[in-house]
Amino acid sequence: KLFGRKGDSYMIYPAKDIVIDKHCKEITIWALGKKFSGELSIFIQDVKEKNHRLVFGKLNFTGWKKLTIQVPKEVNQQDEYLNQKKFVKVLHIQYRPGNESRLPVWQYFYLDNLAAKVREKYTDIQQDEW
């Protein structure tokens, strides 16, 4: 529940760090929309500590909906050196109200079940024994 207008920005920070230590293909979240035209996005940090904003879309629907975004190739997820595990980190979720009125209005939405579709990272199976 928030009181805002277009141009405002609200952040939802996780209570503890959310890390993805495998190669992430997509991120999903369930959202309960109440016909507000605000935009929901997530900020993640790649293995080179560069921040990326991935947009789920607008919450201009009524009821529960599964929102899915593909993680683009610009998000670096590869370990630079063998046996030095790096990970992608979820920084926060952002909501930007989209109402056109000059005065702020109350907006409601619910979020549940943030999930990532992952696979194992490529590993070097080269044997050094001769």
Side-chain angles (χ1 to χ4, degrees), residues 1-11 36 95-99 101-109:
K1 173 174 140 177
L2 55 94
F3 191 63
R5 63 176 177 255
K6 189 170 187 174
D8 292 344
S9 181
Y10 296 91
M11 313 296 182
F36 293 109
Y95 178 75
R96 293 180 175 174
N99 53 315
S101 65
R102 296 182 76 175
L103 298 174
V105 296
W106 284 105
Q107 300 185 34
Y108 304 88
F109 63 92

Side-chain angles (χ1 to χ4, degrees), residues 16-75:
K16 61 180 182 175
D17 286 345
I18 300 173
V19 295
I20 304 168
D21 62 350
K22 295 182 167 104
H23 189 276
C24 183
K25 182 177 179 177
E26 67 183 26
I27 298 174
T28 60
I29 194 166
W30 281 91
L32 177 69
K34 297 280 191 174
K35 277 284 193 196
F36 293 109
S37 60
E39 182 182 74
L40 188 69
S41 57
I42 188 168
F43 281 77
I44 62 173
Q45 187 176 71
D46 67 14
V47 299
K48 294 193 175 186
E49 297 184 357
K50 183 178 176 188
N51 297 342
H52 301 270
R53 179 176 175 255
L54 307 177
V55 179
F56 284 110
K58 296 199 177 286
L59 299 182
N60 57 354
F61 54 87
T62 303
W64 285 100
K65 185 175 181 182
K66 186 177 184 180
L67 305 174
T68 303
I69 50 174
Q70 303 296 319
V71 177
K73 293 183 193 268
E74 294 82 43
V75 177

